[in-house]
Amino acid sequence: MHPPDAGDQGRPIAEDEAEDLLRCICFKNGPPRTVGVEVEWLVHDLDRPERPVRADRLTAAFDQVRSLPLNSALTFEPGGQLELSSPPAASLMECIDSTAADLDAVRAALRPAGLALTGLGLDPWHPPRRLLHEPRYDAMEAFFDRTGPSGRAMMCSSASIQVCLDAGHEEPGPLGHGRRWQLAHLLGAVLMAAFANSPAREGRYTGWRSTRQAVWAALDAVRPVAPPLYMEPHSAWTAHALDAPVMCVRAADGPWELPEGLTFRQWMRSGVPRPPTREDLDYHLTTLFPPVRPRGHLELRMIDAQSGEDGWMVPLAVTTALFDDAEAAETVYRAVKPLAETAGPLPAPRNPLWITAARDALADPELHAAAVTCFSVALEALPRIGASDAVRDAVAAFNERHVLRGRCPADDLRFPSLGKELRT
């Protein structure tokens, strides 16, 4: 799920050109054929995850990981989180098998260093610590520091599972891009609630099942917010992206400039402090963090990282089944459409539906009922999209352990070093 070729990125870009580009490249329409996943992990001490790991120990281990021949793209986040981004796969099982093989190799490389991948949405023990010191992250930290501590927690302490799916047909219907865009913002709240897995932060329970989502929602006034759903998706995203404030103006040398209140549209019109280019527009899009981000495909960003070696497979399988099987997509859309009334006019993730999903998860009766339907439909659809018996068994086990009982993974987490547990 890679963005399209950038073309000539060095020349200044005009406003009408930027609008045309965004309408064309952010939703690549066609039948859903490919799936991808980005799995982020916290990296902790193998035996004592609550014990801080020295930076030099992480650096040495990461050098070993970088030498591995992986199918996925390997990156490291500012706080030392490890991310694998799969290539686009022609099927769910191709995506799972490829990513699982890469994860096996990474775990084997970390084990001799006494390190392990931890699947939690937010580090429950340690305060944010930035290991990567690059102009991009220096600027990002300074930008988010204007509004509070959530930016540092997002950069250095959070981990998620991002499912990447094709945008869908141009035409209406269960696999049409307009329906899939609407579905992502309603079903997304159900997925976030079902897989909430971050009840603690910096040594204390927070009262949120997905503290990671609460952190992301508090970044600033615009960056984590979805565009209005009542607008046509191409136009809505184009306006949202161009009217969002610029995080920073990149420079070849020295620190990057942090303008206050300058939108990308205003930057194109004024040409100050320098005329923006296509490359600047591409970079600007990477600094927007809505729960569903169109990048030619749809990037669903609301799911916490999952515990266990294979826990990440369950949200990937459920999400793919509900979006890419036409029968399942139609059934689930009807099931979650009433959630729009709960959401109200505010955009995700700042509306009542998303706030309740992050705080209460499946303890909320409405979200619980929706999740029960969604998992039932997914289990019926998984054989039709070629899911293996092992994947279907994993989804069924998650459904039995959590969804049917109105619980999420956060409800089962116990951190003895944190004292009093989360009350449910």
Side-chain angles (χ1 to χ4, degrees):
M1 297 292 176
H2 301 294
D5 291 338
D8 180 10
Q9 297 207 348
R11 59 178 176 79
I13 188 169
E15 186 174 347
D16 58 349
E17 181 185 2
E19 290 180 337
D20 289 343
L21 279 169
L22 287 174
R23 289 193 179 97
C24 292
I25 68 175
C26 289
F27 293 87
K28 300 292 287 186
N29 297 123
R33 292 196 178 99
T34 59
V35 58
V37 68
E38 300 176 17
V39 285
E40 293 177 333
W41 302 86
L42 306 172
V43 181
H44 287 146
D45 185 271
L46 180 63
D47 299 316
R48 296 284 303 276
E50 73 279 5
R51 178 184 296 171
V53 179
R54 296 194 319 272
D56 61 334
R57 186 178 164 198
L58 283 173
T59 300
F62 290 167
D63 287 342
Q64 294 296 315
V65 174
R66 288 189 181 93
S67 68
L68 298 173
L70 302 173
N71 291 314
S72 303
L74 170 71
T75 53
F76 296 96
E77 297 300 312
Q81 308 97 306
L82 184 150
E83 178 179 307
L84 292 177
S85 301
S86 76
S91 69
L92 169 66
M93 290 313 303
E94 180 184 319
C95 182
I96 286 177
D97 290 343
S98 173
T99 306
D102 286 343
L103 282 169
D104 287 344
V106 168
R107 290 189 177 102
L110 291 175
R111 198 171 296 117
L115 299 174
L117 301 179
T118 301
L120 294 170
L122 199 72
D123 192 314
W125 299 289
H126 311 121
R129 176 185 61 165
R130 186 156 64 97
L131 300 180
L132 299 184
H133 294 276
E134 302 171 3
R136 167 186 171 91
Y137 298 126
D138 293 344
M140 184 178 290
E141 181 178 271
F143 178 88
F144 285 127
D145 278 352
R146 293 171 175 170
T147 55
S150 290
R152 295 194 181 206
M154 176 275 287
M155 293 171 63
C156 302
S157 302
S158 68
S160 68
I161 296 169
Q162 298 176 19
V163 181
C164 300
L165 301 166
D166 287 325
H169 291 285
E170 181 69 32
E171 298 81 12
L175 300 183
H177 79 276
R179 173 74 67 83
R180 287 162 75 84
W181 181 246
Q182 294 281 336
L183 179 63
H185 289 87
L186 296 175
L187 176 58
V190 180
L191 294 171
M192 190 247 291
F195 296 108
N197 194 37
S198 51
R201 174 183 178 185
E202 296 185 42
R204 66 178 184 86
Y205 291 98
T206 64
W208 296 79
R209 265 70 170 189
S210 180
T211 308
R212 183 197 65 86
Q213 182 60 52
V215 163
W216 279 80
L219 288 179
D220 71 357
V222 175
R223 281 186 150 66
V225 175
L229 290 185
Y230 59 80
M231 294 177 61
E232 188 277 326
H234 297 75
S235 300
W237 177 251
T238 296
H240 180 76
L242 296 184
D243 292 329
V246 172
M247 177 178 285
C248 53
V249 176
R250 298 172 303 157
D253 300 304
W256 294 3
E257 185 172 344
L258 276 71
E260 288 207 44
L262 177 70
T263 69
F264 200 90
R265 193 185 303 278
Q266 291 168 338
W267 189 12
M268 289 187 292
R269 291 176 178 178
S270 70
V272 176
R274 61 167 175 78
T277 65
R278 165 71 186 276
E279 192 174 30
D280 290 316
L281 176 60
D282 290 343
Y283 177 78
H284 173 66
L285 296 177
T286 71
T287 70
L288 304 178
F289 309 115
V292 184
R293 185 163 65 179
R295 302 186 65 188
H297 56 278
L298 299 181
E299 184 182 79
L300 279 69
R301 305 170 50 85
M302 72 288 296
I303 301 170
D304 281 357
Q306 297 296 290
S307 304
E309 290 196 358
D310 299 332
W312 61 273
M313 297 181 186
V314 176
L316 171 60
V318 169
T319 305
T320 305
L322 296 180
F323 273 85
D324 285 2
D325 180 83
E327 182 181 341
E330 180 65 26
T331 301
V332 165
Y333 181 73
R334 291 197 300 267
V336 301
K337 191 174 180 181
L339 296 177
E341 184 175 347
T342 302
L346 294 176
R350 299 253 174 87
N351 62 48
L353 174 67
W354 280 73
I355 293 170
T356 299
R359 184 186 61 233
D360 302 334
L362 300 191
D364 176 77
E366 186 178 35
L367 286 164
H368 179 216
V372 168
T373 299
C374 291
F375 272 73
S376 174
V377 172
L379 284 165
E380 292 176 1
L382 283 171
R384 297 196 293 266
I385 64 171
S388 68
D389 289 345
V391 169
R392 290 152 60 185
D393 288 346
V395 174
F398 186 97
N399 186 45
E400 292 284 342
R401 179 175 180 178
H402 293 112
V403 177
L404 294 178
R405 299 168 60 203
R407 297 175 65 82
C408 66
D411 293 322
D412 291 343
L413 289 175
R414 301 293 180 264
F415 304 111
S417 61
L418 270 58
K420 186 177 180 181
E421 66 188 38
L422 175 71
R423 296 299 179 186
T424 61

